[in-house]
Amino acid sequence: MKLREEILQVLRDGGEHSGEALAERLGISRSAVWKTVKQLRRDGYAISAATRRGYRLDFAKDPLSLAILTAAMPGRRIVYREEIDSTNAAARQLAEAGAEAGTAVIAARQTAGRGRLGRSFSSDEGGLYMSVILRPSLGAEDAALLTAFAATAAAEAIEELVPSAPEIGIKWVNDLFCRGRKLAGILCEGALSIESGGFSYVVVGIGINLRRSAIPAELSEIAIALDEICTTVPGRAALAKAILDRLAASDAALAERRFLSEYRRRSVILGREVLVVRGDERYTAVAESIDDRGALSVLDRAGERHLLSSGEVSIRLGEAAR
Ligand code: BTN
């Protein structure tokens, strides 16, 4: 691991660390610590240094810029905007224009964040909003798998960077859940190629509530932010990198489908009563299983079984499921 990464790893606990303690812990000189901290500051990390107390990474500021993102993910094509209508819309335009797989669009806030089923996604400063272009070898019938894979990847990335976080659950098909409230949402959009019968591109859009400040009052009962469930919040660049690294392995993961057991294990609805909403139709059912294509099997109160694919169905947890 590079020295800058080692120092960041220590500072990410949000505490104060003296130059002496850092030098001793990492087996380097105090001047090497100081030089690396200066370098990190130049890259945009807000590291304060209080006399006799030490260095501290200021999470409240969590600066974001193209320089910070590029330093965190060298070699990846990144488009960064402080404000954008929707990173998914921008990524789709780039994909249509031929941008390579792996290209990511990241923004500090969105003015027209998009959710599933035509809904909007509230996207004030204090969240991570990003979209990545993939060009998967995936048939249209397996599209739900990509959303399931992205949800698993995002949950694992959060837990990797915040080991003290409570387990992150997944509400079929695309929501990350914690303590009965929504922590993150995922929207996959793509274009089918008639020639290949598969996708010419897919845009995976992920929005994660990192700070309470990102959640409007009217959503506070149903949404939750990472700073409500753990003491330290990862930097947006580090979190974006951890998620994008995982998504880079999507082709192999989708072919093997091994991630599905992890996806099912994290499910907050299996075995529970849910409200199925499909257009104007709604009924109560028990969520029974998720098949190898990501479809959800539910059993309604009349004893009839339904196999739901993600496209047009939304699931609401009943009180009993919280
Ligand atoms: C949902 O919960 O229905 C899905 C929400 C997806 C939101 C993300 S934020 C980044 C990307 N850009 C968008 O406009 N939407 C996705």
Side-chain angles (χ1 to χ4, degrees):
M1 203 191 294
K2 279 201 191 131
L3 189 51
R4 44 180 289 132
E5 279 312 313
E6 289 187 280
I7 291 184
L8 276 175
Q9 201 172 44
V10 177
L11 294 181
R12 275 194 186 109
D13 68 6
E16 276 166 339
H17 299 267
S18 70
E20 204 179 339
L22 276 169
E24 202 178 320
R25 182 157 165 184
L26 302 176
I28 52 172
S29 67
R30 282 174 67 178
S31 82
V33 171
W34 170 234
K35 272 191 207 148
T36 313
V37 167
K38 267 203 309 199
Q39 175 71 54
L40 286 166
R41 282 182 177 151
R42 268 202 298 275
D43 288 342
Y45 287 95
I47 298 174
S48 57
T51 331
R52 275 197 282 277
R53 290 215 304 267
Y55 301 110
R56 184 171 189 275
L57 184 60
D58 191 344
F59 285 98
K61 290 188 188 137
D62 182 17
L64 199 60
S65 66
L66 186 58
I68 291 174
L69 290 164
T70 312
M73 296 172 268
R76 183 181 288 278
R77 180 167 178 216
I78 298 169
V79 174
Y80 171 72
R81 297 278 180 273
E82 216 162 275
E83 184 173 291
I84 200 168
D85 51 357
S86 152
T87 55
N88 260 37
R92 288 190 71 163
Q93 276 174 11
L94 287 170
E96 298 279 357
E100 59 182 319
T103 302
V105 182
I106 301 178
R109 52 187 178 274
Q110 299 182 112
T111 53
R114 304 209 297 232
R116 280 183 69 238
L117 309 174
R119 300 191 188 115
S120 62
F121 186 80
S122 165
S123 314
D124 287 340
E125 181 98 38
L128 173 64
Y129 311 109
M130 69 173 190
S131 302
V132 60
I133 298 170
L134 301 179
R135 298 194 183 272
S137 18
L138 188 74
E141 65 285 1
D142 286 331
L145 280 177
L146 192 56
T147 312
F149 176 63
T152 312
E156 286 178 348
I158 294 171
E159 285 178 4
E160 179 202 318
L161 294 188
V162 194
S164 63
E167 187 165 84
I168 311 291
I170 300 175
K171 182 169 78 65
W172 185 87
V173 57
N174 66 323
D175 289 342
L176 297 197
F177 249 62
C178 200
R179 301 198 180 141
R181 290 189 275 159
K182 177 164 166 169
L183 178 67
I186 293 168
L187 174 65
C188 292
E189 301 181 280
L192 280 169
S193 149
I194 294 174
E195 243 170 75
S196 69
F199 289 96
S200 49
Y201 70 83
V202 173
V203 164
V204 179
I206 302 180
I208 303 176
N209 306 323
L210 296 178
R211 301 177 193 284
R212 253 161 294 204
S213 55
I215 300 176
E218 66 272 20
L219 297 181
S220 62
E221 298 271 289
I222 53 170
I224 197 163
L226 210 50
D227 69 354
E228 295 179 76
I229 54 177
C230 47
T231 46
T232 59
V233 173
R236 287 170 292 183
L239 185 54
K241 175 183 167 25
I243 296 172
L244 290 171
D245 282 354
R246 282 177 166 75
L247 290 179
S250 61
D251 266 348
L254 293 171
E256 292 170 7
R257 299 182 185 199
R258 261 188 293 168
F259 73 92
L260 271 172
S261 55
E262 182 62 15
Y263 179 71
R264 292 181 184 116
R265 190 186 68 73
R266 288 180 185 272
S267 173
V268 295
I269 65 165
L270 288 182
R272 293 182 159 177
E273 194 161 87
V274 294
L275 180 70
V276 179
V277 182
R278 174 187 257 155
D280 289 339
E281 184 195 13
R282 46 193 72 202
Y283 56 89
T284 302
V286 172
E288 287 192 316
S289 58
I290 294 168
D291 75 10
D292 284 351
R293 292 208 146 136
L296 176 70
S297 170
V298 298
L299 185 66
D300 70 18
R301 284 184 174 163
E304 199 181 328
R305 204 156 263 129
H306 308 254
L307 191 63
L308 310 174
S309 63
S310 63
E312 60 198 16
V313 179
S314 130
I315 290 292
R316 302 211 187 127
L317 285 167
E319 278 308 309
R322 291 190 173 206

